[in-house]
Short mmCIF file of all heavy atoms in Angstrom, two decimals:
data_model
loop_
_atom_site.label_atom_id
_atom_site.label_comp_id
_atom_site.label_asym_id
_atom_site.label_seq_id
_atom_site.Cartn_x
_atom_site.Cartn_y
_atom_site.Cartn_z
N MET A 1 142.75 -13.17 6.24
CA MET A 1 141.37 -13.22 6.70
C MET A 1 140.42 -13.03 5.53
O MET A 1 140.64 -12.21 4.65
CB MET A 1 141.14 -12.07 7.69
CG MET A 1 140.45 -12.56 8.94
SD MET A 1 140.31 -11.23 10.13
CE MET A 1 138.56 -11.11 10.28
N ALA A 2 139.35 -13.80 5.55
CA ALA A 2 138.40 -13.74 4.44
C ALA A 2 137.53 -12.50 4.55
O ALA A 2 137.21 -12.05 5.65
CB ALA A 2 137.52 -14.98 4.44
N LEU A 3 137.17 -11.96 3.41
CA LEU A 3 136.29 -10.79 3.38
C LEU A 3 134.89 -11.22 2.97
O LEU A 3 134.74 -12.06 2.08
CB LEU A 3 136.81 -9.76 2.36
CG LEU A 3 138.07 -9.01 2.74
CD1 LEU A 3 138.56 -8.25 1.53
CD2 LEU A 3 137.83 -8.08 3.90
N GLN A 4 133.92 -10.60 3.59
CA GLN A 4 132.55 -10.91 3.19
C GLN A 4 132.28 -10.31 1.82
O GLN A 4 132.76 -9.23 1.49
CB GLN A 4 131.56 -10.40 4.22
CG GLN A 4 131.54 -8.89 4.38
CD GLN A 4 130.63 -8.46 5.49
OE1 GLN A 4 131.06 -8.30 6.63
NE2 GLN A 4 129.38 -8.27 5.18
N LYS A 5 131.50 -11.02 1.02
CA LYS A 5 131.25 -10.56 -0.35
C LYS A 5 130.34 -9.35 -0.35
O LYS A 5 130.57 -8.39 -1.09
CB LYS A 5 130.60 -11.69 -1.16
CG LYS A 5 131.60 -12.69 -1.70
CD LYS A 5 130.91 -13.68 -2.62
CE LYS A 5 131.92 -14.67 -3.18
NZ LYS A 5 131.24 -15.72 -3.95
N ARG A 6 129.28 -9.38 0.39
CA ARG A 6 128.33 -8.27 0.43
C ARG A 6 127.64 -8.24 1.78
O ARG A 6 127.53 -9.28 2.45
CB ARG A 6 127.30 -8.37 -0.70
CG ARG A 6 126.50 -9.65 -0.70
CD ARG A 6 125.61 -9.73 -1.92
NE ARG A 6 126.35 -9.95 -3.14
CZ ARG A 6 126.73 -11.16 -3.58
NH1 ARG A 6 126.45 -12.25 -2.86
NH2 ARG A 6 127.40 -11.28 -4.69
N ARG A 7 127.20 -7.07 2.16
CA ARG A 7 126.53 -6.95 3.45
C ARG A 7 125.07 -7.37 3.38
O ARG A 7 124.55 -7.95 4.31
CB ARG A 7 126.64 -5.51 3.94
CG ARG A 7 128.06 -5.13 4.24
CD ARG A 7 128.13 -3.85 5.02
NE ARG A 7 129.52 -3.57 5.34
CZ ARG A 7 129.92 -2.59 6.12
NH1 ARG A 7 129.03 -1.79 6.66
NH2 ARG A 7 131.17 -2.40 6.37
N ARG A 8 124.42 -6.99 2.28
CA ARG A 8 123.01 -7.31 2.13
C ARG A 8 122.76 -7.84 0.74
O ARG A 8 123.43 -7.42 -0.20
CB ARG A 8 122.14 -6.07 2.29
CG ARG A 8 121.99 -5.55 3.66
CD ARG A 8 121.11 -4.33 3.53
NE ARG A 8 121.08 -3.60 4.78
CZ ARG A 8 120.92 -2.30 4.86
NH1 ARG A 8 120.79 -1.60 3.77
NH2 ARG A 8 120.87 -1.72 6.00
N GLY A 9 121.74 -8.66 0.62
CA GLY A 9 121.31 -9.11 -0.70
C GLY A 9 120.43 -8.07 -1.37
O GLY A 9 120.08 -7.06 -0.75
N PRO A 10 120.07 -8.30 -2.63
CA PRO A 10 119.24 -7.33 -3.36
C PRO A 10 117.87 -7.12 -2.71
O PRO A 10 117.33 -6.01 -2.75
CB PRO A 10 119.08 -7.94 -4.75
CG PRO A 10 119.92 -9.14 -4.80
CD PRO A 10 120.49 -9.42 -3.46
N ALA A 11 117.30 -8.15 -2.11
CA ALA A 11 115.96 -8.03 -1.53
C ALA A 11 115.98 -7.07 -0.33
O ALA A 11 115.13 -6.20 -0.21
CB ALA A 11 115.44 -9.40 -1.11
N ARG A 12 116.99 -7.22 0.51
CA ARG A 12 117.05 -6.35 1.69
C ARG A 12 117.41 -4.92 1.30
O ARG A 12 116.95 -3.97 1.92
CB ARG A 12 118.08 -6.89 2.68
CG ARG A 12 117.56 -8.11 3.40
CD ARG A 12 118.25 -8.29 4.74
NE ARG A 12 118.12 -7.14 5.61
CZ ARG A 12 118.69 -7.05 6.79
NH1 ARG A 12 119.44 -8.03 7.23
NH2 ARG A 12 118.54 -5.99 7.54
N THR A 13 118.22 -4.76 0.27
CA THR A 13 118.54 -3.41 -0.23
C THR A 13 117.26 -2.74 -0.75
O THR A 13 117.03 -1.56 -0.49
CB THR A 13 119.59 -3.49 -1.34
OG1 THR A 13 120.73 -4.19 -0.84
CG2 THR A 13 120.00 -2.12 -1.81
N ALA A 14 116.44 -3.52 -1.47
CA ALA A 14 115.20 -2.95 -2.01
C ALA A 14 114.25 -2.57 -0.89
O ALA A 14 113.57 -1.54 -0.96
CB ALA A 14 114.54 -3.97 -2.93
N GLN A 15 114.21 -3.37 0.18
CA GLN A 15 113.35 -3.04 1.32
C GLN A 15 113.79 -1.73 1.96
O GLN A 15 112.97 -0.89 2.31
CB GLN A 15 113.41 -4.16 2.37
CG GLN A 15 112.56 -5.37 2.01
CD GLN A 15 112.76 -6.51 2.99
OE1 GLN A 15 113.50 -6.39 3.95
NE2 GLN A 15 112.12 -7.62 2.71
N GLN A 16 115.09 -1.55 2.10
CA GLN A 16 115.59 -0.33 2.73
C GLN A 16 115.36 0.88 1.83
O GLN A 16 115.01 1.95 2.30
CB GLN A 16 117.08 -0.49 3.03
CG GLN A 16 117.64 0.63 3.89
CD GLN A 16 116.89 0.74 5.21
OE1 GLN A 16 116.74 -0.24 5.94
NE2 GLN A 16 116.41 1.93 5.53
N ARG A 17 115.50 0.69 0.52
CA ARG A 17 115.24 1.79 -0.42
C ARG A 17 113.79 2.22 -0.32
O ARG A 17 113.49 3.42 -0.39
CB ARG A 17 115.53 1.33 -1.85
CG ARG A 17 117.00 1.27 -2.16
CD ARG A 17 117.33 1.79 -3.55
NE ARG A 17 118.77 1.81 -3.73
CZ ARG A 17 119.42 0.92 -4.47
NH1 ARG A 17 118.78 -0.04 -5.10
NH2 ARG A 17 120.73 1.00 -4.58
N SER A 18 112.89 1.27 -0.17
CA SER A 18 111.48 1.59 -0.04
C SER A 18 111.24 2.44 1.21
O SER A 18 110.49 3.42 1.19
CB SER A 18 110.67 0.29 0.03
OG SER A 18 109.34 0.58 0.35
N ALA A 19 111.92 2.09 2.30
CA ALA A 19 111.77 2.85 3.55
C ALA A 19 112.33 4.26 3.39
O ALA A 19 111.75 5.23 3.88
CB ALA A 19 112.49 2.13 4.68
N TRP A 20 113.45 4.41 2.67
CA TRP A 20 114.04 5.73 2.46
C TRP A 20 113.10 6.62 1.65
O TRP A 20 112.95 7.80 1.94
CB TRP A 20 115.38 5.60 1.73
CG TRP A 20 116.48 5.06 2.56
CD1 TRP A 20 116.59 5.14 3.93
CD2 TRP A 20 117.65 4.37 2.10
NE1 TRP A 20 117.75 4.53 4.33
CE2 TRP A 20 118.42 4.05 3.23
CE3 TRP A 20 118.09 3.98 0.86
CZ2 TRP A 20 119.61 3.37 3.14
CZ3 TRP A 20 119.28 3.30 0.77
CH2 TRP A 20 120.04 3.00 1.89
N SER A 21 112.50 6.03 0.59
CA SER A 21 111.63 6.83 -0.26
C SER A 21 110.39 7.27 0.51
O SER A 21 109.89 8.37 0.31
CB SER A 21 111.23 6.04 -1.50
OG SER A 21 110.38 4.96 -1.13
N LYS A 22 109.92 6.42 1.42
CA LYS A 22 108.77 6.81 2.25
C LYS A 22 109.15 7.94 3.18
O LYS A 22 108.37 8.85 3.44
CB LYS A 22 108.27 5.61 3.05
CG LYS A 22 107.35 4.71 2.27
CD LYS A 22 106.97 3.50 3.08
CE LYS A 22 106.24 2.49 2.21
NZ LYS A 22 106.13 1.20 2.89
N LYS A 23 110.37 7.89 3.71
CA LYS A 23 110.82 8.89 4.66
C LYS A 23 110.98 10.26 3.99
O LYS A 23 110.72 11.28 4.59
CB LYS A 23 112.16 8.46 5.26
CG LYS A 23 112.54 9.24 6.51
CD LYS A 23 113.88 8.74 7.04
CE LYS A 23 114.30 9.56 8.24
NZ LYS A 23 115.63 9.20 8.69
N SER A 24 111.41 10.26 2.71
CA SER A 24 111.64 11.52 2.02
C SER A 24 110.35 12.11 1.47
O SER A 24 110.35 13.24 1.01
CB SER A 24 112.64 11.31 0.88
OG SER A 24 112.08 10.44 -0.08
N GLY A 25 109.25 11.35 1.53
CA GLY A 25 107.98 11.86 1.02
C GLY A 25 107.35 12.86 1.97
O GLY A 25 107.95 13.27 2.97
N GLU A 26 106.14 13.28 1.65
CA GLU A 26 105.48 14.28 2.47
C GLU A 26 104.92 13.68 3.75
O GLU A 26 104.55 14.41 4.66
CB GLU A 26 104.33 14.91 1.67
CG GLU A 26 104.86 15.80 0.55
CD GLU A 26 103.72 16.56 -0.12
OE1 GLU A 26 102.60 16.52 0.40
OE2 GLU A 26 103.99 17.17 -1.15
N ASN A 27 104.86 12.35 3.83
CA ASN A 27 104.23 11.73 4.99
C ASN A 27 105.07 11.88 6.25
O ASN A 27 104.54 11.75 7.35
CB ASN A 27 104.00 10.24 4.72
CG ASN A 27 102.93 10.03 3.67
OD1 ASN A 27 102.04 10.86 3.52
ND2 ASN A 27 103.02 8.94 2.94
N HIS A 28 106.37 12.13 6.09
CA HIS A 28 107.21 12.19 7.28
C HIS A 28 107.06 13.53 8.01
O HIS A 28 107.51 13.65 9.13
CB HIS A 28 108.67 11.94 6.91
CG HIS A 28 109.37 13.15 6.38
ND1 HIS A 28 109.12 13.67 5.13
CD2 HIS A 28 110.29 13.97 6.93
CE1 HIS A 28 109.86 14.74 4.95
NE2 HIS A 28 110.60 14.95 6.02
N MET A 29 106.42 14.52 7.36
CA MET A 29 106.24 15.81 8.03
C MET A 29 105.12 15.69 9.06
O MET A 29 104.03 15.27 8.74
CB MET A 29 105.89 16.89 7.00
CG MET A 29 107.03 17.20 6.07
SD MET A 29 106.74 18.66 5.10
CE MET A 29 105.38 18.14 4.09
N MET A 30 105.43 16.07 10.27
CA MET A 30 104.44 16.00 11.34
C MET A 30 103.48 17.18 11.21
O MET A 30 103.90 18.32 11.17
CB MET A 30 105.12 16.06 12.70
CG MET A 30 105.88 14.79 13.02
SD MET A 30 106.36 14.73 14.75
CE MET A 30 107.45 16.13 14.85
N VAL A 31 102.21 16.86 11.14
CA VAL A 31 101.19 17.91 11.05
C VAL A 31 100.51 18.00 12.41
O VAL A 31 99.97 17.01 12.90
CB VAL A 31 100.17 17.59 9.94
CG1 VAL A 31 99.09 18.65 9.92
CG2 VAL A 31 100.86 17.49 8.60
N GLN A 32 100.60 19.16 13.01
CA GLN A 32 100.02 19.37 14.32
C GLN A 32 99.13 20.61 14.28
O GLN A 32 99.35 21.50 13.47
CB GLN A 32 101.13 19.59 15.36
CG GLN A 32 101.95 18.34 15.58
CD GLN A 32 103.17 18.60 16.43
OE1 GLN A 32 103.56 19.74 16.62
NE2 GLN A 32 103.75 17.54 16.95
N PRO A 33 98.13 20.67 15.14
CA PRO A 33 97.28 21.87 15.17
C PRO A 33 98.06 23.08 15.67
O PRO A 33 98.88 22.99 16.58
CB PRO A 33 96.14 21.49 16.12
CG PRO A 33 96.67 20.36 16.93
CD PRO A 33 97.66 19.64 16.06
N CYS A 34 97.79 24.22 15.06
CA CYS A 34 98.45 25.48 15.45
C CYS A 34 97.99 25.87 16.84
O CYS A 34 96.82 25.71 17.19
CB CYS A 34 98.09 26.55 14.43
SG CYS A 34 98.66 28.19 14.90
N SER A 35 98.94 26.38 17.64
CA SER A 35 98.61 26.76 19.02
C SER A 35 97.81 28.05 19.05
O SER A 35 97.17 28.36 20.05
CB SER A 35 99.89 26.92 19.83
OG SER A 35 100.71 27.90 19.24
N ASN A 36 97.86 28.82 17.97
CA ASN A 36 97.16 30.11 17.93
C ASN A 36 95.76 29.98 17.34
O ASN A 36 94.79 30.40 17.96
CB ASN A 36 97.98 31.12 17.14
CG ASN A 36 97.36 32.50 17.17
OD1 ASN A 36 97.06 33.02 18.25
ND2 ASN A 36 97.16 33.09 16.02
N CYS A 37 95.68 29.40 16.15
CA CYS A 37 94.39 29.35 15.47
C CYS A 37 93.82 27.94 15.36
O CYS A 37 92.66 27.78 15.02
CB CYS A 37 94.51 29.97 14.07
SG CYS A 37 95.54 29.03 12.95
N GLY A 38 94.64 26.91 15.64
CA GLY A 38 94.13 25.54 15.63
C GLY A 38 94.11 24.90 14.26
O GLY A 38 93.69 23.76 14.12
N ALA A 39 94.55 25.62 13.23
CA ALA A 39 94.57 25.04 11.89
C ALA A 39 95.71 24.03 11.79
O ALA A 39 96.72 24.16 12.48
CB ALA A 39 94.77 26.15 10.86
N PRO A 40 95.56 23.00 10.94
CA PRO A 40 96.66 22.03 10.76
C PRO A 40 97.91 22.71 10.21
O PRO A 40 97.84 23.44 9.23
CB PRO A 40 96.09 21.01 9.78
CG PRO A 40 94.90 21.67 9.16
CD PRO A 40 94.38 22.64 10.17
N ARG A 41 99.03 22.43 10.85
CA ARG A 41 100.27 23.15 10.54
C ARG A 41 101.41 22.16 10.62
O ARG A 41 101.43 21.27 11.49
CB ARG A 41 100.43 24.27 11.57
CG ARG A 41 101.69 25.06 11.48
CD ARG A 41 101.81 25.93 12.71
NE ARG A 41 101.97 25.07 13.90
CZ ARG A 41 103.00 25.15 14.74
NH1 ARG A 41 103.92 26.06 14.56
NH2 ARG A 41 103.09 24.34 15.76
N ILE A 42 102.39 22.29 9.75
CA ILE A 42 103.58 21.43 9.81
C ILE A 42 104.40 21.84 11.03
O ILE A 42 104.62 23.04 11.26
CB ILE A 42 104.40 21.57 8.52
CG1 ILE A 42 103.57 21.14 7.31
CG2 ILE A 42 105.67 20.72 8.60
CD1 ILE A 42 104.15 21.61 5.99
N ALA A 43 104.86 20.86 11.79
CA ALA A 43 105.60 21.14 13.02
C ALA A 43 106.89 21.89 12.70
O ALA A 43 107.56 21.62 11.70
CB ALA A 43 105.92 19.83 13.74
N HIS A 44 107.23 22.84 13.56
CA HIS A 44 108.45 23.67 13.44
C HIS A 44 108.44 24.53 12.17
O HIS A 44 109.49 24.86 11.63
CB HIS A 44 109.73 22.82 13.48
CG HIS A 44 109.75 21.86 14.64
ND1 HIS A 44 109.82 20.50 14.48
CD2 HIS A 44 109.68 22.08 15.96
CE1 HIS A 44 109.79 19.93 15.67
NE2 HIS A 44 109.71 20.87 16.59
N ARG A 45 107.22 24.85 11.69
CA ARG A 45 107.10 25.76 10.54
C ARG A 45 106.09 26.85 10.91
O ARG A 45 105.25 26.65 11.79
CB ARG A 45 106.60 25.01 9.29
CG ARG A 45 107.55 23.95 8.77
CD ARG A 45 108.80 24.56 8.18
NE ARG A 45 109.62 23.54 7.56
CZ ARG A 45 110.48 22.79 8.22
NH1 ARG A 45 110.61 22.91 9.52
NH2 ARG A 45 111.21 21.90 7.59
N VAL A 46 106.20 27.97 10.20
CA VAL A 46 105.25 29.06 10.42
C VAL A 46 103.87 28.59 9.96
O VAL A 46 103.74 27.96 8.92
CB VAL A 46 105.70 30.31 9.66
CG1 VAL A 46 104.68 31.41 9.78
CG2 VAL A 46 107.05 30.78 10.16
N CYS A 47 102.85 28.94 10.75
CA CYS A 47 101.49 28.59 10.38
C CYS A 47 101.09 29.38 9.15
O CYS A 47 101.24 30.59 9.10
CB CYS A 47 100.55 28.89 11.55
SG CYS A 47 98.82 28.63 11.16
N MET A 48 100.59 28.68 8.12
CA MET A 48 100.20 29.36 6.88
C MET A 48 98.82 29.98 7.01
O MET A 48 98.39 30.73 6.14
CB MET A 48 100.21 28.36 5.71
CG MET A 48 101.58 27.76 5.44
SD MET A 48 102.91 28.95 5.46
CE MET A 48 102.69 29.71 3.86
N SER A 49 98.12 29.67 8.08
CA SER A 49 96.78 30.22 8.26
C SER A 49 96.83 31.58 8.95
O SER A 49 96.22 32.54 8.50
CB SER A 49 95.94 29.23 9.07
OG SER A 49 94.68 29.79 9.33
N CYS A 50 97.58 31.67 10.07
CA CYS A 50 97.64 32.93 10.82
C CYS A 50 99.02 33.58 10.75
O CYS A 50 99.18 34.71 11.18
CB CYS A 50 97.23 32.70 12.28
SG CYS A 50 98.33 31.61 13.18
N GLY A 51 100.03 32.89 10.22
CA GLY A 51 101.35 33.48 10.06
C GLY A 51 102.12 33.62 11.35
O GLY A 51 103.04 34.42 11.43
N GLN A 52 101.79 32.84 12.36
CA GLN A 52 102.49 32.95 13.63
C GLN A 52 103.35 31.73 13.89
O GLN A 52 103.03 30.63 13.45
CB GLN A 52 101.46 33.11 14.77
CG GLN A 52 100.78 34.45 14.74
CD GLN A 52 100.38 34.91 16.13
OE1 GLN A 52 100.49 34.17 17.10
NE2 GLN A 52 99.92 36.14 16.22
N TYR A 53 104.45 31.94 14.60
CA TYR A 53 105.31 30.84 15.02
C TYR A 53 105.80 31.15 16.43
O TYR A 53 106.43 32.19 16.66
CB TYR A 53 106.48 30.68 14.05
CG TYR A 53 107.40 29.55 14.43
CD1 TYR A 53 106.96 28.23 14.39
CD2 TYR A 53 108.71 29.79 14.85
CE1 TYR A 53 107.78 27.20 14.75
CE2 TYR A 53 109.54 28.76 15.20
CZ TYR A 53 109.07 27.46 15.14
OH TYR A 53 109.90 26.44 15.50
N ARG A 54 105.51 30.27 17.36
CA ARG A 54 105.89 30.41 18.77
C ARG A 54 105.43 31.76 19.34
O ARG A 54 106.17 32.45 20.02
CB ARG A 54 107.40 30.25 18.95
CG ARG A 54 107.84 28.83 18.62
CD ARG A 54 109.34 28.68 18.78
NE ARG A 54 109.75 28.73 20.17
CZ ARG A 54 111.02 28.68 20.59
NH1 ARG A 54 111.98 28.60 19.71
NH2 ARG A 54 111.30 28.73 21.86
N GLY A 55 104.19 32.13 19.00
CA GLY A 55 103.60 33.32 19.59
C GLY A 55 104.01 34.62 18.93
O GLY A 55 103.54 35.68 19.31
N GLU A 56 104.91 34.55 17.92
CA GLU A 56 105.32 35.77 17.23
C GLU A 56 104.75 35.79 15.82
O GLU A 56 104.74 34.76 15.16
CB GLU A 56 106.86 35.84 17.15
CG GLU A 56 107.52 36.13 18.46
CD GLU A 56 109.02 36.21 18.29
OE1 GLU A 56 109.48 36.97 17.42
OE2 GLU A 56 109.72 35.51 19.02
N THR A 57 104.34 36.96 15.38
CA THR A 57 103.82 37.07 14.02
C THR A 57 104.98 37.17 13.05
O THR A 57 105.75 38.13 13.07
CB THR A 57 102.92 38.31 13.89
OG1 THR A 57 101.89 38.24 14.87
CG2 THR A 57 102.30 38.37 12.51
N ILE A 58 105.14 36.15 12.22
CA ILE A 58 106.24 36.11 11.26
C ILE A 58 105.77 36.68 9.92
O ILE A 58 106.44 37.49 9.30
CB ILE A 58 106.74 34.66 11.07
CG1 ILE A 58 107.02 34.01 12.44
CG2 ILE A 58 107.95 34.63 10.17
CD1 ILE A 58 108.14 34.63 13.21
N ILE A 59 104.58 36.23 9.49
CA ILE A 59 104.04 36.69 8.21
C ILE A 59 102.85 37.60 8.53
O ILE A 59 101.84 37.12 9.05
CB ILE A 59 103.61 35.51 7.33
CG1 ILE A 59 104.79 34.55 7.11
CG2 ILE A 59 103.10 36.01 5.99
CD1 ILE A 59 104.38 33.22 6.55
N ALA A 60 102.99 38.87 8.24
CA ALA A 60 101.88 39.79 8.46
C ALA A 60 100.84 39.60 7.36
O ALA A 60 101.20 39.44 6.19
CB ALA A 60 102.40 41.23 8.47
N LYS A 61 99.60 39.59 7.77
CA LYS A 61 98.54 39.40 6.79
C LYS A 61 98.38 40.64 5.93
O LYS A 61 98.48 41.77 6.42
CB LYS A 61 97.23 39.06 7.51
CG LYS A 61 97.21 37.65 8.02
CD LYS A 61 95.78 37.16 8.17
CE LYS A 61 95.73 35.66 8.39
NZ LYS A 61 94.35 35.17 8.47
N LYS A 62 98.12 40.43 4.64
CA LYS A 62 97.99 41.55 3.72
C LYS A 62 96.75 42.38 4.01
O LYS A 62 96.73 43.58 3.77
CB LYS A 62 97.94 41.03 2.28
CG LYS A 62 99.29 40.53 1.78
CD LYS A 62 99.22 40.01 0.36
CE LYS A 62 100.57 39.49 -0.08
NZ LYS A 62 100.51 38.92 -1.43
N THR A 63 95.73 41.74 4.53
CA THR A 63 94.49 42.48 4.81
C THR A 63 94.69 43.49 5.93
O THR A 63 94.07 44.54 5.94
CB THR A 63 93.37 41.49 5.17
OG1 THR A 63 93.84 40.67 6.23
CG2 THR A 63 92.98 40.64 3.99
N ALA A 64 95.62 43.18 6.87
CA ALA A 64 95.85 44.10 7.98
C ALA A 64 96.68 45.30 7.52
O ALA A 64 96.51 46.41 8.03
CB ALA A 64 96.58 43.38 9.10
N GLU A 65 97.54 45.08 6.53
CA GLU A 65 98.38 46.18 6.06
C GLU A 65 97.59 47.17 5.21
O GLU A 65 97.76 48.36 5.34
CB GLU A 65 99.55 45.61 5.23
CG GLU A 65 100.55 44.86 6.08
CD GLU A 65 101.61 44.18 5.21
OE1 GLU A 65 101.57 44.35 3.99
OE2 GLU A 65 102.45 43.48 5.78
N GLU A 66 96.73 46.65 4.36
CA GLU A 66 96.05 47.55 3.43
C GLU A 66 94.81 48.18 4.03
O GLU A 66 94.40 47.80 5.10
CB GLU A 66 95.66 46.75 2.18
CG GLU A 66 96.90 46.36 1.38
CD GLU A 66 96.56 45.36 0.27
OE1 GLU A 66 95.38 45.00 0.15
OE2 GLU A 66 97.48 44.93 -0.42
ZN1 LIG B 101 97.83 29.45 13.12
#
């Protein structure tokens, strides 16, 4: 049985590489408003504005401690 020489040509490989590089960039991170303070926050990450995630305070603010 004959074997195919290649699955894709160089042009299609380059197109896919371009899509991969876009996916690995910062644009793929979903930015959503925080449910607590409404500041823009990366989805599934602790809010850097109020330090809360899913209603729990993860990062205590330094001003409250001192
Ligand atoms: Zn917040």
Side-chain angles (χ1 to χ4, degrees):
M1 228 176 119
L3 289 170
Q4 63 185 93
K5 278 186 179 174
R6 58 186 70 85
R7 294 194 177 186
R8 286 179 190 150
R12 285 205 57 184
T13 304
Q15 281 174 3
Q16 190 58 52
R17 283 221 175 105
S18 172
W20 287 334
S21 68
K22 277 176 189 167
K23 195 180 177 186
S24 64
E26 289 187 10
N27 291 332
H28 81 288
M29 292 192 294
M30 289 193 297
V31 177
Q32 293 171 344
C34 173
S35 59
N36 185 52
C37 67
R41 176 191 65 123
I42 299 163
H44 311 119
R45 296 291 186 276
V46 175
C47 175
M48 298 315 282
S49 176
C50 63
Q52 289 210 352
Y53 181 66
R54 293 179 70 183
E56 288 181 52
T57 304
I58 309 295
I59 303 166
K61 285 204 167 183
K62 287 179 181 177
T63 54
E65 290 174 3
E66 291 170 1

